[in-house]
Amino acid sequence: MNHTVKFNLNGSPVEVQVKSNEKLLDVLRDKLGVTSPKFGCGVGECGACTVLIDGLSVRSCITFAVEVEGKNVVSLEGLQADGPTKIQKAFIKNNAFQCGFCAPGFVMSATELIEKNPSPTEEEIRHALAGNLCRCTGYKNIVDAMNEVSQENKEEGR
Amino acid sequence: MKEELKVVGHNAVRLDILEKVTGAAEYTDDLAFGPNLLHMAVLSSPHAHAKILSIDTSEAEKLPGVHAVLTGKDFPEKFGLYLKDKSIFAVDRVRQVGEQVAGVVASTYEIARNACKRIKVEYEVLPEIHDPYDSIKEDAILIHPDLGNYEIEPWLDAQPGTNIAHLRKIRKGDVEKGFEEADVIVEGEYHIPHVAHTCIETHISVSKFSMDGRLTMWNSTQSPHTQRNIMAHSLGIPHKNVRVIAPPIGGGFGGKAGISMEVMAAAGAKACPGHPVKLRWTREEEFYNSSQRTGLRNKVKMGFKKNGKLVAIKHQMFWDVGASAEYGSNVVNATGFSATGPYYIPNVYIDSYACYTNNPICSAYRGFGYSEFSFGIESTMDRAAKKMGFDPVELRKINAIKEGEGVAYDVPMNPNGLIECIDKVAKEIEWGKEEKSDDPNKIIAKGFASVWKAPAMPANESSSAFIKFSEDGSINVLVSGMDLGQGFLTAMAKIAAEVLGLTLDKVRVELPDTDRNPYEWQTVASHVTWSCGNAVKRAAIDAKNKILDIVQRAHFIDKSQLYLEDNGVKCTTQESFFIPYSDFVITGIQTEHNTWIGGPILGSGMFMPEYTNAMVNPETGLGGHPMVHYTVGAGAVKIEIDKETGRIKVLKMAEAFDLGKAINPDLAKDQIVGGFVQGMGTALWEECIFDEKGKMLNDGFTDYKIPTILDVPRDMNPILVEVPQPDGPYGARGHSEHTMIPVMPAVANAVANGLGVRITDVPVTAEKIVMRMGKPEFMEEKK
């Protein structure tokens, strides 16, 4: 069955025809040209497809497109209106990724964390990013970068 | 005077980090191919070993939206990298669960999948083999009865009429005499299961046959030129009409070396000219039908003198290469030459068997077999140390191979800093210092391992590079090595920048496109920094010579007085002389007569080791020079073991590798950290688990656990040692794969040191520890 879904994507209203069983990830990538969320597993295990729906990080590969009717969907593309965010800058400075395929998902999960908790402890950082798999880095530089963000926010009184 | 390096050896932000962190990097699946794009799905075998009696595709063909249905009868020819034993789609017989039997190209992936379900295949199930020990039994069913007819590299030794696809023997010295001379002999048997690469990006290919007969492929690959070569040969079309483009790759680890599913996409494209055809593996297909790491059963016997010196080794390795040995045969070959570990041993007996089984195909995996065999060697070293009353670190130092000593195939060892690596790791992990947990149920223990690895390559592997200048004095470096995440682009940029006196912001390095970028064998074997780095250095020197020539001709200054610095040309005798590249690298230099000297600056360079020789005596493994050099290193872990649950937590790691020269120290250390964590997964949990019919029981991330951010130790200590490689660019040799190798034995040795339980089969799971603790057959003397 076909549906028309209307939602906000990265700040702009979109309207798209989808099937009942179509996943948000496929609609974003194939119908709307938003390719930062990646296909890694298709069953919500790896976190590469993470986007924010009304500020909450969600696996778009196990979210039906019809579920986002009327909601605000933000992908990595929508975070950077003013250039790389503080989180992205810290990831860049720390060479936080290698192959980079998991990077968009990590940025989204990290963004959700910092929005809720601007200066998290390392323990909180690790728990918030535990659903994002990276096979290359051993996560060290990701944690280092996030610790820097946390420290910076603390110093800025956030 | 030692030349001061301005770029090489200094830290830098990696060239590709911005595009990766901003989402700008377009991986293969991110490319737009328009409404003409077709999708492909594959029907897989449910049986591990069966004859295909019939395939009926008629119902699939009738489904609206289906463009083509392909089966093995359309593609009778075999393909493979070293041994052509593989079919694009199964012909007459399937040899593993998940083997592709048919493919469907359709307007959507959903239609292609549904069409696959309508294909009727009649099988006659055959006896199946899942263990290399069963594979080599005399009455074993033959998995490849036609082995003797396959095309094969001359340095491989297939045994037709058996399931042995390759046998590499080493017979150096007299091993029996060696054991007679030994004061202490330690023997053991080990088992390593299959593990999976689990790149987060699954395999993907988009292939297109255009109407003029050209094949273009966009592949997630480590091997664009090798893929082009195989496609051109198997399709019988000229190389110039095959173009392989390699967009950014979402992880490789050896899994995307050579060629695998890409041939199916090309087959699909051939059936649908004019349409790009996309084939993307699901996560389950990625587990079954890309490749896994070779399984191993090995028997290690090592003989020592009282003073700790090794006198003999007998090492028999029975590799489970799965249903094809097209690439895995080289794992078997490379390890056959090296399965002594980084020790000088005068008497060496090695048998390395490539055993066909009905398990998923195994090929290259970070470490290329060295992780697997080093587990047995390094476990033996610890057992021997305990038996003889040596400190395990000391025993390794006593036997550490030195420059000039003969390796297993009796060629002198290259310069190396093994003892420095061992010492630095021992110091960092505080070897010898007893540590106690505050929790009485927990034990803190340490384990050590030292390792080596050589690039496994055909003797005439090669690399090449082009450098071209632009108007503003920036350069594009064209190479066909792949940045798998290891920092290849940044390393090549730095080498070019160093030679040309450029700042790093003036350099771009392009990902492979076989139409435009020059030849590279493959990005495997941890060899591209060394091999392609040499080619880039030579290309930069070529460009430099052209620049100096032009300036000499235009300004009448002898070249010997000119040097390159700060993005331009300077003169040793005239301090004020400076011509920025942007003034002349395209336009040339204007003379006083208003004529012009010069033109667009280009450099080219190539590299091939000219001392290697793979044609050894098959009975002894001697008489050749099959490896270029070894990179050595050591690793140690400090772990906490819960005595009640057996659960292990890694608290600290230290690893040191002698990479000759760190082109970028930061990224080189990142390789150690990443490789350690990947090794930690294989040491503690990772294992492809099969039922008795060869069906994988954990073909997803829920059941196949890889380390998460919660599992990794906080205290990770990568250490770089730099004993230059004489033929490496600035002395560099590779180390990226090596970083995994010490982890499995270091963990098992730590468990033995802490609890006295000797685990000889990885992974070292909590269950094994709890079930075996206290049982005499698993216990060894505590340190």
Side-chain angles (χ1 to χ4, degrees), chain B residues 373-441:
Chain B
F373 83 69
S374 297
F375 179 68
I377 297 281
E378 291 304 298
S379 299
T380 308
M381 290 300 282
D382 258 42
R383 296 165 102 162
K386 279 171 201 168
K387 207 164 167 180
M388 292 191 288
F390 277 96
D391 179 275
V393 170
E394 194 53 36
L395 187 68
R396 287 177 170 86
K397 284 173 70 174
I398 289 171
N399 289 291
I401 192 160
K402 296 179 191 67
E403 181 182 354
E405 288 179 330
V407 302
Y409 49 89
D410 219 11
V411 162
M413 176 63 182
N414 51 279
N416 75 89
L418 179 55
I419 289 185
E420 190 183 341
C421 291
I422 292 173
D423 282 338
K424 286 190 165 159
V425 168
K427 184 167 178 233
E428 179 58 49
I429 206 79
E430 297 179 289
W431 188 255
K433 183 181 157 194
E434 299 273 337
E435 293 183 50
K436 278 205 160 62
S437 171
D438 297 334
D439 183 339
N441 280 324

Side-chain angles (χ1 to χ4, degrees), chain B residues 11-28:
Chain B
N11 286 326
V13 168
R14 51 184 309 144
L15 254 53
D16 53 351
I17 192 73
L18 184 64
E19 66 170 50
K20 286 172 175 174
V21 172
T22 57
E26 291 191 311
Y27 299 82
T28 302

